[in-house]
Each structure stands twice: as C-alpha cells, then as structure tokens.
Amino acid sequence: MAGTDVLVIGAGVVGAACAYACTAAGLTVTVVDRGAIAGGTTSAGEGNILVSDKEPGPELDLALLSSRLWQDISADLDARCLEYESKGGVVVAGSAATATGLRALTAGQRAVGVDAVDLDQDELFQLEPNISRDVVGGALYRQDAQVHPMLATVHLLRRARQAGAVVRTGTTVVAFLRDRQGAVIGVKTDPADEFYARWVINAAGTWAGQVAELAGAPVPVLPRRGFVLVTEPLPRVVRHKVYTAEYLANVASDDAGLETSVVVEGTKSGTVLIGASRERVGFDRTFSLPVLRRLATQAIGVFPFLEKVSLLRSYLGFRPYCPDHLPVIGPDPRVPGLVHACGHEGAGIGLAAATGHVIAQLLTDQRPAVDLTPLRPHRFEEAAR
C-alpha cells in the first residue's frame, strides 16, 4: 500500500498524542494497534498530569512542558470532552521528618518552575477538610491536573483522523520492513498487510520492549503491575489529587516486590479513585485481595471517612517500567527510521502531550523543546559497555 510519513505502533494515549502532534505539523500518519484504542495501559490509568511527583531533572522538564501543552489541547479539543480538570495536587506528610524532606523537594522544584506551596497543618485542613488530623503538613501543587485517559486518547485520534490520519486496530506488527542499508521503512502486520513510512514510532506501551526487540534495537521496558479501587459516587469530599510523600519514594524505587502508598482523588463523576501499588510480576493479571486491603487501609488512614464508603469495583493495569525511571524518546541510531516514544511508567498520560510534541519537532527538523539526550534509546547499551 502507499506509504505515509509516520507510522505509529500503539493507539494508547502516547501513540495518540504522537499522531495528533505529527498531523498538526503537516505530516501524514498511520496508527496501528493489535488491540483496541486505549485498550492497554491507558485504559487502566487514572489520568494524572503531574509535576509534583518528579524531582528536578529531565522528566520534570518534560512534565512542565506537558502541563502547558495539555492546557492547549484541552482548549483545542474542549476540556469537557477530555474531562480535563486543573484541580491541583496536595502531598501530605505524616511526620516532622517527612515534612522537612518534602520542603527540601519543593524548594528544588520551585527553582526550575514548579508552582509548589509549602503548607502547615491548618492550611492543609483548609484545602482538604476531610483529611486525617494526624498529618503534620504538606505541599500544594497548582499545576497538577487530570484528564479521562480513554476520552483523551479517543479525541486526540479523532482530531488526527480529521487531519487525514488512518487508524487500524486489531493489527499486530510481526516484522519490520527494511531497505538495503537496513533502515526501517515500514512494518508487516497480521492480518497480512504491509505499511510503509519514512519513520516508525514505537509507542507500544508495556509491549514496547517486545517491539524494540523485533526491530533489533532492544530497550528494557518491562511491565509493573498496579491496582486501583473505585468508590461509590460521593459529594465533593476530596478536592485535589492527594497522596503521601511516601508515594514519591515508591515511584523512584527499583524494588521488584510489592510497594503501596496512598493516592486518593475524586473524579467528575463523583467516584473516588484509590491507589497506588507497584510490583514487577510480568503480565500476571491475578487479582490480589491482600493488595486491595492494604490500599483501602492506607487510604482510610489519610481520609478516615472512607471507612464507611462502599467500593464499586477495582481494576489493574501494567505500567511500562524502565530501570532508570526515565522514558525512552527519540530516534534510534542503531536502526535508522525507528523512533521510540515509550517507557513512561506511571506518567504516560501526563507526559504524552510533550512526548508527541517533541517527536513531531524531531521529524520536522526542529530543535526539541526539551533536551532529549538523557532519554536517548541506546543509553542502556552505552551504560553496559
């Protein structure tokens, strides 16, 4: 079949953001996914757009850019369609020592452009009246926001389609097409078809490591399982995204075992989402009642009223984890024509807008808005030498 400028592997939120940004830049785009739109990690996400959980460095630079771009996207696509909500985040400290560490973090974040406000106990209670009286302080992050992940993905792809993009679901990539010099020029798929493109973007989420291996350019993206609880609809009892400072340590941890820390937030529908757990168990989808009990107990410790609230359901998903906790973004020098946009772990929804933006800049010979050197795809091979 005729070729396009860009072929995106993956119709999750990152792939959709790449398609959206590339079509906006004037490139022709085809998106393929072996499943449904937003059928993988995106469907199990909470929709977080966070700067609060990142220390100064390349990921925070990307998050600050993405925060601004999500505001632009919400204006372009209509915030109501995305359920975009700029509600802010609150991080709470349960001890004086934790509060001291949190203040050191916020000072460093403010130095690079984060709107972080240190809170004493009384200020925290004003922001979140239903929070436990055992917390000693915290921080307010006004830039933190939320979208509905599946709606955001659908509307990003809808806009890309309006600009001429083609989206093929139920289409599995089984091989890469190459020219005589070995550069990628497209893919073979099942059902049997061939798609040609100047660039192929690996935005396959937790399966991105397998796609990269198929291309002969491995990146160590692995699944990291997590559970979320969903309560019955409630009045506005949780005003921000609220999590404990321990969540920051779990995000940065390399431990393969189970780790849980409190994350609680309300949604526009009135339900309250409760997380977060992390464990590396491959793609094991076994339901774990002990994990759910631990999450519920920890959430009650922060918001005692939850003890009397009913749960509607729970669900699990897999975050695309990289060992250094940084995404993999940019062209792969080992295989010309291959571009990666993967490995975002639990930050994929928040970082999607910036990822698509910088990918489109690269493919149109513009200088990326952030330095992508720390995110280069071959950094793991370099470190192993």
Side-chain angles (χ1 to χ4, degrees):
M1 63 179 293
T4 56
D5 293 322
V6 179
L7 183 135
V8 181
I9 304 174
V13 68
V14 173
C18 289
Y20 171 87
C22 286
T23 53
L27 299 170
T28 56
V29 175
T30 297
V31 180
V32 298
D33 195 295
R34 68 180 190 175
I37 292 172
T41 296
T42 299
S43 66
E46 297 174 65
N48 296 322
I49 303 170
L50 304 181
V51 299
S52 55
D53 63 342
K54 299 167 182 66
E55 296 184 353
E59 190 179 27
L60 181 53
D61 294 341
L62 199 66
L64 287 166
L65 172 62
S66 216
S67 174
R68 297 190 295 270
L69 290 170
W70 271 117
Q71 293 179 47
D72 295 340
I73 290 170
S74 70
D76 180 31
L77 302 183
D78 188 339
R80 291 170 298 178
C81 293
L82 310 182
E83 293 189 8
Y84 176 83
E85 189 177 6
S86 184
K87 61 184 177 182
V90 170
V91 180
V92 298
S95 69
T98 302
T100 299
L102 182 57
R103 284 194 295 272
L105 173 65
T106 58
Q109 291 172 322
R110 280 192 292 271
V112 294
V114 175
D115 184 356
V117 180
D118 296 325
L119 304 172
D120 62 24
Q121 193 179 54
D122 290 339
E123 291 168 330
L124 186 57
F125 295 156
Q126 289 176 14
L127 288 173
E128 290 291 343
N130 296 305
I131 207 164
S132 168
R133 266 37 189 175
D134 292 334
V135 299
V136 301
L140 169 66
Y141 290 87
R142 296 192 181 96
Q143 291 153 307
D144 283 359
Q146 185 178 27
V147 293
H148 189 296
M150 289 182 283
L151 289 177
T153 303
V154 167
H155 285 285
L156 286 167
L157 285 176
R158 179 172 294 169
R159 178 54 55 84
R161 279 171 157 162
Q162 290 171 349
V166 174
V167 180
R168 295 281 189 90
T169 55
T171 303
T172 302
V173 172
V174 297
F176 282 81
L177 302 170
R178 301 176 186 270
D179 64 15
R180 293 182 179 179
Q181 287 72 44
V184 166
I185 57 172
V187 297
K188 289 184 179 181
T189 64
D190 179 19
D193 209 339
E194 294 184 348
F195 295 86
Y196 291 89
R198 293 169 61 192
W199 299 283
V200 174
I201 299 176
N202 175 16
T206 37
W207 295 275
Q210 298 174 18
V211 170
E213 194 75 35
L214 189 65
V219 292
V221 176
L222 300 170
R224 203 177 185 192
R225 188 174 69 183
F227 289 86
V228 175
L229 308 180
V230 185
T231 75
E232 61 184 316
L234 300 168
R236 190 166 178 254
V237 288
V238 181
R239 299 178 178 182
H240 305 80
K241 177 187 176 67
V242 179
Y243 62 87
T244 59
E246 287 76 15
Y247 173 81
L248 303 174
N250 284 0
V251 169
S253 172
D254 295 321
D255 195 334
L258 174 65
E259 296 177 330
T260 60
S261 52
V262 182
V263 181
V264 182
E265 62 188 310
T267 67
K268 282 187 172 293
S269 65
T271 59
V272 174
L273 306 181
I274 299 170
S277 66
R278 283 173 162 77
E279 54 187 329
R280 295 210 309 273
V281 292
F283 286 100
D284 182 0
R285 297 193 65 86
T286 302
F287 217 72
S288 175
L289 188 57
V291 175
L292 303 187
R293 284 176 175 155
R294 187 189 293 191
L295 289 174
T297 300
Q298 291 178 333
I300 291 167
V302 176
F303 285 102
F305 76 88
L306 288 171
E307 185 175 10
K308 300 184 182 301
V309 172
S310 297
L311 291 174
L312 285 182
R313 65 186 179 96
S314 60
Y315 60 92
L316 65 87
F318 299 96
R319 304 174 181 89
Y321 162 90
C322 268
D324 61 2
H325 302 284
L326 293 175
V328 180
I329 301 175
D332 197 318
R334 299 167 297 179
V335 180
L338 177 65
V339 181
H340 296 281
C342 55
H344 298 77
E345 199 169 339
I349 293 160
L351 298 180
T355 300
H357 181 75
V358 296
I359 290 291
Q361 288 180 316
L362 285 168
L363 302 189
T364 53
D365 298 321
Q366 300 178 61
R367 183 176 179 177
V370 296
D371 180 14
L372 298 179
T373 304
L375 313 180
R376 61 195 182 282
H378 54 299
R379 64 184 186 269
F380 305 99
E381 282 192 4
E382 293 175 339
R385 290 173 187 164

